[in-house]
Amino acid sequence: MVLERINKAGDIKDIEPKEYGLLAQEIREKILDVVSRNGGHLASSLGVVELTMALHLTFDIPKDKLIWDVGHQSYTHKLLTGRSGEFGTLRTFGGISGFPRTSESDCDPFDTGHSSTSISAGLGFAYARDAKGEDYKVISVIGDGALTGGMAIEALNNASRLKSNFIIVLNDNNMSIAENVGGISTALGKLRTAPRYNALKENVKDSFSQIPKIGNGLVSRISRTKNSIKQLVIPGMIFEDMDITYLGPVDGYDIEAMCRTFEEASRLNRAVLVHVITKKGKGYEPAEKNPERFHGVGAFDLATGNSLKKKEKPDWTDVFSHTFLQMMDKDPDVVAITAAMPEGTGLSKVKSKYPDRVFDVGIAEQHAVTFAAGLAAGGLKPYFCVYSSFLQRGFDQIIHDVCLASLDVKFCIDRAGLVGNDGDTHQGIFDLSFLSMIPNMTVMAPKNRWELTDMLKYSRTFGGPLAIRYARGQASEAFQNDRAPIEYGRAEWLIRGENVALLAVGTMVPVAGEAAELLKKEGIRASVINARFVSPVDADVLREAAHNHRIVFTLEENVKSGGFGEHVARKIAEEGIGLKVKILSVPDGFVQHGSVNELRTMLGLDAEGVCKSVLSVMKGAGNERKA
Ligand SMILES: Cc1ncc(C[n+]2csc(CCOP(=O)(O)OP(=O)(O)O)c2C)c(N)n1
């Protein structure tokens, strides 16, 4: 095997060019083998095997800094940088990450996971290199989807001033997760289909310079009028117009051509963009045919491409999608926005029925929030459907553009709480903190699938900013007989006990129910209360609990700082309510990858963990009394 001969960065340079094809094939087989078992980002990774090989053949990694945007396509890079042996642990608890991690390898110079950061980070490296008088290359690889993110455009704007070498590789597969959308995508389409500008420029020079006497003069005049030729040849040459040299397009499966172009790019003392054309899913037919489904996949059967996990019950996203469609049917003012995640957020189905009322704005969460604010100010009822961790991008926009004027924008926050194998960048464990501190913002979380439906319906007639957060995976069916009408700011009492109350948020309500069962066996009759509203906190339910409870445990899948528990503790202190509080939450910090169940167990947020925490506090209290 050729891959076996690659044990560290740089080893690929000892491989004979005639073996490149075989190496690419072995890499694809390895990626397919591991991802079909562990799940992962398949289509993007398969598309860049040869591109990654060419980068490693040309550059000196880790001395040269190679920064992958998002980083979901970095599997080949991992295999070429000494991580082939551990590759089977990809995305598993304690195993290697699905994204570049500085803690994992010195060949990963920057931590990534969210989109559109690579040009900013690379430019920072380039300036730092120059300031410190160091000598290395910086290469940022960005996809055409990620290029639609505002940060990438801000970075290009900044990069145009650079007076030293910085290489941006545009990995253009004409897809985001779904179809890439918008003006940038259209502009790239024109570049993709235009004749090769650089080749053509050289050909023109060559043929004119062969004309005796007048040839050379013409060549220099041609060089001087380069811009007008460029404009003639390639309409809307956006990068060159921004003072960033454009090279390409180059075939992403022609290793020699890519190496040649990267060498050429390395010689220029400025920012250079190399446009490489690739194909998502390359080499695996099911992924080539359906790149969106194979963008991020769970375990699947290699022979057929079929998923190994059969879905029996709807997940939270399905419940959202189903109810939201009914709301669209009922109310023509309801519109939806996604930032390049129509399938993941459940909007694809909605969009096929109402194409003009679902806006895919590209990977542009900040814009999405303010766009929603504008739609609301104009009289519509916009819902921004977004993953918790990506909404972090829109923090200022939520404060400044939505909440200041208390505009009627709704946030449907999917993948909130622990998300599992995508790891630290994707855990949705900050939204309760950053949302519940914003004035005018109401934050809700459903305990089960029926409550998500009820909350969505409640939101339609609610005036003002409101967020509903729900989790990844199968929607809970616990407490299905408890369906009290939703009242603003009111919690729901589910199990009446005494002494100990478990006041839980969203997905932690079923866990609280299970923990109460376990506690019963220990002789403790715990109450279970469904918070429903994270903001505002229900002071009445706390006052009521204080009658026959000594302590309230708050349960949430969010970090402690600024989370629900802290708000409850503050409310109790401010109102002088006679209750002790113990906060059970994700500890402050980042949470690595692993399955959601493994992570919950690790953090003591499963039923057993909650039971244990309650018992240890109660035991401590008993000892206190005895002393
Ligand atoms: C801020 C942010 N929003 C959304 C995502 C989810 N996401 C991951 S990859 C991706 C598409 C990226 O497309 P592109 O850059 O073209 O890379 P490709 O997958 O096509 O290789 C999206 C939307 C993300 N990682 N970060």
Side-chain angles (χ1 to χ4, degrees):
M1 275 192 52
V2 186
L3 186 56
E4 274 172 5
R5 304 200 319 253
I6 298 179
N7 298 307
K8 59 179 185 321
D11 283 357
I12 190 173
K13 293 182 180 174
D14 298 329
I15 303 292
E16 293 288 322
K18 64 175 186 304
E19 293 178 303
Y20 291 164
L22 191 54
L23 176 60
Q25 190 186 325
E26 288 174 10
I27 289 172
R28 283 202 171 82
E29 281 165 8
K30 181 116 185 166
I31 291 175
L32 277 162
D33 173 47
V34 172
V35 176
S36 65
R37 285 183 284 117
N38 298 7
H41 288 96
L42 186 69
S44 312
S45 290
L46 291 178
V48 297
V49 174
E50 286 80 359
L51 166 59
T52 313
M53 287 169 59
L55 287 165
H56 278 266
L57 284 164
T58 310
F59 297 104
D60 186 5
I61 309 293
K63 180 175 169 257
D64 294 336
K65 312 296 175 207
L66 179 55
I67 302 167
W68 296 93
D69 204 278
V70 183
H72 62 313
Q73 73 294 63
S74 62
Y75 298 173
T76 302
H77 169 75
K78 290 191 187 234
L79 290 172
L80 296 182
T81 51
R83 284 169 273 184
S84 192
E86 320 145 82
F87 195 67
T89 68
L90 185 77
R91 293 161 44 90
T92 59
F93 191 64
I96 63 169
S97 166
F99 296 91
R101 281 292 163 272
T102 47
S103 56
E104 198 177 283
S105 168
D106 61 355
C107 297
D108 297 355
F110 200 75
D111 289 337
T112 57
H114 288 197
S115 162
S116 317
T117 64
S118 67
I119 306 179
S120 302
L123 188 60
F125 266 108
Y127 273 108
R129 169 197 63 199
D130 300 347
K132 293 176 86 71
E134 289 175 330
D135 176 26
Y136 56 82
K137 298 281 175 218
V138 183
I139 311 101
S140 295
V141 185
I142 187 161
D144 55 303
L147 197 67
T148 63
M151 245 181 107
I153 307 302
E154 291 167 34
L156 283 178
N157 184 46
N158 196 184
S160 65
R161 295 172 169 199
L162 190 72
K163 300 278 183 289
S164 61
N165 185 254
F166 170 39
I167 300 168
I168 301 160
V169 177
L170 173 59
N171 165 33
D172 182 1
N173 54 28
N174 199 16
M175 290 279 292
S176 190
I177 290 182
E179 177 200 352
N180 203 7
V181 290
I184 288 176
S185 173
T186 309
L188 291 182
K190 287 182 189 162
L191 288 180
R192 225 178 281 128
T193 51
R196 266 201 70 179
Y197 161 58
N198 299 289
L200 194 130
K201 185 177 68 182
E202 291 313 314
N203 290 346
V204 169
K205 272 192 191 177
D206 285 352
S207 35
F208 279 120
S209 59
Q210 276 158 24
I211 304 171
K213 285 194 183 148
I214 54 162
N216 284 338
L218 248 180
V219 168
S220 66
R221 230 172 305 144
I222 284 170
S223 298
R224 261 184 277 125
T225 55
K226 181 173 142 243
N227 278 342
S228 40
I229 290 181
K230 190 175 70 192
Q231 293 296 348
L232 263 177
V233 174
I234 299 172
M237 182 85 166
I238 47 174
F239 302 109
E240 291 260 345
D241 287 346
M242 285 175 80
D243 267 345
I244 291 170
T245 299
Y246 171 90
L247 299 178
V250 192
D251 177 357
Y253 302 101
D254 183 340
I255 292 180
E256 204 191 308
M258 283 187 283
C259 290
R260 226 184 309 117
T261 315
F262 294 146
E263 292 285 356
E264 204 177 313
S266 303
R267 283 194 284 271
L268 301 171
N269 276 329
R270 59 206 323 270
V272 190
L273 184 138
V274 181
H275 189 183
V276 178
I277 307 296
T278 61
K279 184 174 173 56
K280 252 180 148 158
K282 178 80 174 176
Y284 181 57
E285 204 185 322
E288 282 193 24
K289 280 193 175 147
N290 193 348
E292 187 169 359
R293 185 168 97 68
F294 283 93
H295 177 86
V297 275
F300 65 94
D301 175 42
L302 255 184
T304 60
N306 293 337
S307 174
L308 286 182
K309 214 167 120 199
K310 289 279 160 285
K311 201 155 97 179
E312 279 150 19
K313 296 198 168 149
D315 57 32
W316 292 99
T317 313
D318 297 327
V319 176
F320 158 78
S321 183
H322 180 77
T323 311
F324 194 70
L325 205 49
Q326 291 174 347
M327 289 161 61
M328 294 274 260
D329 289 339
K330 192 167 179 159
D331 189 340
D333 284 343
V334 171
V335 294
I337 301 154
T338 172
M341 313 284 290
E343 189 61 34
T345 56
L347 284 177
S348 287
K349 233 203 269 163
V350 181
K351 193 171 166 59
S352 51
K353 185 160 183 195
Y354 293 111
D356 299 335
R357 289 166 63 193
V358 176
F359 303 96
D360 183 347
V361 298
I363 308 177
E365 290 81 4
Q366 295 162 284
H367 159 67
V369 175
T370 305
F371 175 54
L375 289 168
L380 292 176
K381 295 178 184 167
Y383 282 72
F384 180 27
C385 307
V386 58
Y387 288 9
S388 167
S389 70
F390 303 145
L391 184 60
Q392 290 162 197
R393 286 272 164 101
F395 184 51
D396 177 60
Q397 287 73 9
I398 299 174
I399 296 175
H400 180 271
D401 300 324
V402 175
C403 288
L404 187 64
S406 203
L407 286 168
D408 200 0
V409 175
K410 307 291 152 49
F411 298 87
C412 291
I413 307 176
D414 203 320
R415 301 326 191 253
L418 299 166
V419 297
N421 306 81
D422 280 338
D424 45 15
T425 49
H426 286 59
Q427 311 286 8
I429 54 175
F430 300 104
D431 59 298
L432 294 185
S433 305
F434 71 76
L435 290 174
S436 59
M437 62 164 280
I438 305 176
N440 295 334
M441 174 62 87
T442 296
V443 184
M444 304 174 81
K447 66 178 181 294
N448 63 22
R449 52 185 283 195
W450 298 282
E451 198 164 68
L452 174 55
T453 298
D454 294 345
M455 285 183 175
L456 284 165
K457 289 183 176 165
Y458 173 83
S459 73
R460 193 177 62 81
T461 51
F462 181 93
L466 181 144
I468 304 174
R469 63 110 74 170
Y470 39 93
R472 179 178 188 188
Q474 195 178 307
S476 169
E477 295 189 348
F479 296 107
Q480 55 177 296
N481 297 323
D482 295 278
R483 206 169 173 179
I486 293 173
E487 279 177 67
Y488 180 73
R490 295 289 297 155
E492 181 191 33
W493 207 300
L494 295 170
I495 298 175
R496 296 225 174 235
E498 57 185 9
N499 208 15
V500 176
L502 306 178
L503 174 55
V505 174
T507 48
M508 291 305 289
V509 177
V511 176
E514 288 170 42
E517 285 297 316
L518 296 176
L519 286 166
K520 215 192 275 174
K521 292 184 193 140
E522 305 289 334
I524 294 175
R525 283 182 54 234
S527 287
V528 174
I529 307 167
N530 168 21
R532 278 191 170 169
F533 288 80
V534 171
S535 180
V537 167
D538 184 353
D540 289 342
V541 89
L542 295 171
R543 268 190 286 270
E544 197 184 336
H547 290 148
N548 63 338
H549 296 79
R550 216 163 43 79
I551 182 161
V552 59
F553 286 79
T554 61
L555 280 64
E556 66 194 297
E557 267 189 41
N558 189 82
V559 291
K560 193 174 201 172
S561 284
F564 176 65
E566 284 199 355
H567 286 280
V568 168
R570 181 172 154 190
K571 185 63 91 186
I572 283 174
E574 281 176 358
E575 308 254 331
I577 299 170
L579 266 179
K580 279 192 171 176
V581 191
K582 175 85 184 148
I583 299 171
L584 302 183
S585 67
V586 175
D588 289 340
F590 295 105
V591 179
Q592 303 305 309
H593 48 279
S595 72
V596 172
N597 286 342
E598 285 166 330
L599 298 176
R600 275 193 177 168
T601 304
M602 176 182 80
L603 300 171
L605 291 176
D606 57 357
E608 288 74 20
V610 170
C611 178
K612 227 158 118 188
S613 296
V614 173
L615 288 176
S616 84
V617 170
M618 300 312 283
K619 227 183 267 165
N623 291 341
E624 256 169 48
R625 264 204 303 274
K626 269 181 231 149

